[in-house]
Amino acid sequence: MKDPFSRRDFLRGTATFGVANLALWAGGCESCVQQIKNRPTRRNISNLAANDPIITTYQQAVTAMKNLPSRDPRNWERQADIHFNSCKHCNWLWLPWHRTYLLYLERICRKLTGDDKFALPYWNWVTHPAIPDAFWGQGNPLFDPNRVATQGEPAESWYIGASVIQNILNEPNFDLFASSKPQSGQDLHFSLNPTTGMLEGTPHNNIHNFVGGDMAQFHSPHDPIFYTHHNMLDCLWTHWNINLNHPNTNDPDWTNFSITDFVDEDGNPVTVSVATTVLFPIFSYQFEPCSLTAGQVGAKLQGKQLEQFLRTGAPSKLEFVKRFELKQLVKAAVDKPAIDAVEVQPEAFRSALEADTRTRVVLSIAEVEVPVQRDFFVRVFLNKPDASATTPIDDPHYAGSFGFFFDEAALKGAEGQTGMVERPKTGFLVDVRPTLTRLNQGGAISSSGKVEVSFVPVPYGHREAFGHLTLGRIELGIARF
Ligand code: C2O
């Protein structure tokens, strides 16, 4: 099947042009430029009144999808099954796959409600860390009674606080920002090698678990909050690309990958290449600026140049020039943080911290057992032996935080996972260069030759937690890309 998003088709999707080879950006077609400028705006749901037509349409669409017969692939359950069976996690397909999911969901909502202007709103958890009021109330189609989080309960700033997200947005490397390439032969549904980057491991995974219930499983799209959560992540990816001008990877294994799991507004299967998804936010929708993106808009690149930048990408593969391995297997639990130290070559660290931004210092946390009880997240600190659940968010030793989004049932039967006799293992990548740079003021790190890494498991929402953390192989590496 052909890619439905050639440049021309993008325009067909947004308006009726019928003219081939439009000189979009060159002023050859002024009305096309206008059409692109006026593409639908995905709004911040916190700025909408309870009776805003965007919310009403979303409610009506969810009801309509629930009412479709189950043989119709646009049926609400069937859409959630797509996620359960085929979602892409812990690898670099995560962002484009979920972006495509949202685009088609949005189109299905338009078609079923007749509201052609509908654009999916996003949940800005940075400024509004509680599930928005629009998702509560018995009888409200946007309500999901299975949630663990309660109305008004805020998610922890450790994984969604402004400084945490800003730090992730400052990450210049695609693999560390967005999750990286899976090893060949890995299951793309859930990659088990350490490829989970910071946007996925931190706000993404943790919000899933914080909301809990359906959201903590691969049937998470049963909860209508799912799509608005992913829309926020899409907003941040868009901001990272377009306003901050950080390039996506140019690896052809990524750009040429075909996403084939979705159906369009008429229920017909579609095939979309990843190379096409990178253009969605310039042709198909735009975002109302959120707290983090406002003020930084005014992108250096516009029009044709921006399109070219997005199409081209840049190399992202991390080449490790030095690795320092931590010694022991680390086990931890809530109230029992773990700490391990690594000897580093002071000289190597000094030069890494002074090098240009294409040198990163990466904490690779590999062979992490996926906990049976994923009722906690993990805070990571450097050189802070007394780090605890109450260490404040602006502590200079804070390096990152990660959680586990996983589904035992979805992985049963996946190769090598039958029966789950052994716990599956996953891994995370955390760029600790900013933390080390802060801590090295005055040469503290480079003179001691030692870095201590603390892992502090913390329960979500002050709930009771019983999970255990087992980390297999931890390395501090200096990498170039
Ligand atoms: Cu595939 Cu946030 O889920």
Side-chain angles (χ1 to χ4, degrees):
M1 184 168 310
K2 82 181 183 78
D3 188 328
F5 286 103
S6 67
R7 198 159 193 249
R8 230 174 102 192
D9 292 331
F10 258 117
L11 293 171
R12 278 214 202 104
T14 50
T16 38
F17 288 95
V19 190
N21 301 317
L22 299 165
L24 282 183
W25 308 111
C29 169
E30 200 39 52
S31 69
C32 317
V33 176
Q34 284 314 316
Q35 286 292 338
I36 290 173
K37 268 203 184 125
N38 297 333
R39 66 202 186 279
T41 298
R42 293 182 173 182
R43 304 273 321 268
N44 180 345
I45 203 163
S46 327
N47 294 341
L48 304 179
N51 62 354
D52 190 285
I54 293 172
I55 293 175
T56 320
T57 296
Y58 193 29
Q59 289 170 324
Q60 286 168 355
V62 172
T63 305
M65 289 171 78
K66 286 183 175 163
N67 289 339
L68 287 173
S70 62
R71 63 168 189 282
D72 189 318
R74 301 167 304 170
N75 166 284
W76 186 250
E77 288 286 322
R78 292 281 306 278
Q79 287 288 307
D81 287 345
I82 295 176
H83 189 270
F84 183 80
N85 293 320
S86 317
C87 60
K88 305 288 180 270
H89 285 279
C90 313
N91 65 63
W92 64 1
L93 294 173
W94 170 68
L95 279 178
W97 192 88
H98 289 82
R99 171 173 279 180
T100 309
Y101 198 5
L102 299 191
L103 185 92
Y104 284 103
L105 185 280
E106 191 173 61
R107 289 181 170 210
I108 292 169
C109 291
R110 283 183 199 144
K111 175 85 183 214
L112 294 180
T113 59
D115 178 353
D116 307 331
K117 301 223 158 47
F118 175 71
L120 189 70
Y122 63 87
W123 169 23
N124 180 359
W125 15 250
V126 177
T127 49
H128 292 78
I131 298 173
D133 289 342
F135 292 87
W136 294 98
Q138 291 295 337
N140 178 354
L142 305 184
F143 175 61
D144 178 342
N146 298 330
R147 289 174 196 144
V148 177
T150 53
Q151 187 164 12
E153 179 186 3
E156 283 82 2
S157 56
W158 282 100
Y159 47 85
I160 44 136
S163 59
V164 174
I165 302 301
Q166 196 54 61
N167 188 46
I168 295 173
L169 289 170
N170 289 343
E171 173 57 55
N173 177 269
F174 175 84
D175 292 28
L176 293 170
F177 173 74
S179 298
S180 56
K181 186 173 187 169
Q183 280 159 17
S184 62
Q186 281 259 326
D187 182 8
L188 298 173
H189 193 19
F190 184 87
S191 298
L192 301 174
N193 56 337
T195 43
T196 304
M198 298 188 288
L199 191 67
E200 183 173 7
T202 309
H204 170 261
N205 286 4
N206 285 318
I207 284 286
H208 271 281
N209 291 340
F210 162 75
V211 174
D214 291 325
M215 273 289 274
Q217 308 164 23
F218 281 6
H219 265 127
S220 38
H222 277 160
D223 189 336
I225 196 76
F226 171 92
Y227 297 99
T228 59
H229 170 42
H230 270 277
N231 206 14
M232 177 66 184
L233 297 159
D234 202 62
C235 177
L236 294 177
W237 179 21
T238 299
H239 177 59
W240 189 79
N241 277 157
I242 294 183
N243 300 325
L244 303 177
N245 287 158
H246 294 307
N248 297 318
T249 186
N250 65 355
D251 188 322
D253 289 347
W254 188 72
T255 48
N256 293 339
F257 186 88
S258 284
I259 298 169
T260 56
D261 306 302
F262 302 108
V263 296
D264 67 11
E265 59 272 34
D266 297 314
N268 297 317
V270 286
T271 297
V272 182
S273 73
V274 167
T276 302
T277 67
V278 304
L279 302 177
F280 286 0
I282 57 172
F283 287 126
S284 299
Y285 53 81
Q286 55 195 319
F287 287 97
E288 174 180 20
C290 74
S291 52
L292 291 155
T293 59
Q296 300 189 49
V297 187
K300 302 143 222 164
L301 296 177
Q302 307 230 339
K304 184 73 197 154
Q305 281 173 322
L306 177 60
E307 182 187 339
Q308 209 43 50
F309 167 79
L310 292 172
R311 281 187 188 277
T312 310
S316 68
K317 189 174 191 305
L318 293 161
E319 306 283 359
F320 281 83
V321 292
K322 280 257 175 329
R323 292 174 186 269
F324 303 98
E325 200 164 335
L326 279 76
K327 281 176 212 77
Q328 321 135 16
L329 181 81
V330 173
K331 283 186 181 285
V334 171
D335 297 330
K336 285 194 209 67
I339 187 158
D340 202 356
V342 60
E343 305 283 333
V344 297
Q345 291 165 1
E347 209 22 69
F349 268 83
R350 197 170 5 251
S351 40
L353 297 181
E354 283 163 7
D356 65 35
T357 57
R358 302 187 71 84
T359 296
R360 311 308 306 169
V361 185
V362 181
L363 182 68
S364 153
I365 310 159
E367 294 166 20
V368 186
E369 273 187 12
V370 177
V372 179
Q373 281 155 314
R374 294 175 288 280
D375 47 10
F376 66 93
F377 63 100
V378 184
R379 298 173 174 179
V380 185
F381 295 87
L382 302 184
N383 288 5
K384 175 91 181 153
D386 61 344
S388 75
T390 54
T391 310
I393 185 164
D394 49 3
D395 188 286
H397 301 82
Y398 164 79
S401 70
F402 59 86
F404 302 87
F405 177 52
F406 187 70
D407 190 313
E408 315 280 336
L411 271 283
K412 284 239 169 80
E415 242 181 302
Q417 299 299 322
T418 2
M420 298 271 167
V421 185
E422 254 194 48
R423 292 304 299 163
K425 296 194 171 77
T426 187
F428 300 89
L429 300 171
V430 181
D431 187 341
V432 296
R433 180 171 167 169
T435 310
L436 284 175
T437 304
R438 269 197 309 274
L439 297 182
N440 195 41
Q441 316 256 320
I445 299 279
S446 36
S447 59
S448 81
K450 199 174 86 168
V451 176
E452 286 175 320
V453 188
S454 309
F455 298 94
V456 186
V458 181
Y460 291 103
H462 307 288
R463 299 167 200 155
E464 251 194 308
F466 303 96
H468 286 267
L469 179 67
T470 305
L471 309 170
R473 186 162 49 82
I474 304 158
E475 272 179 2
L476 202 54
I478 298 174
R480 295 267 312 154
F481 73 100

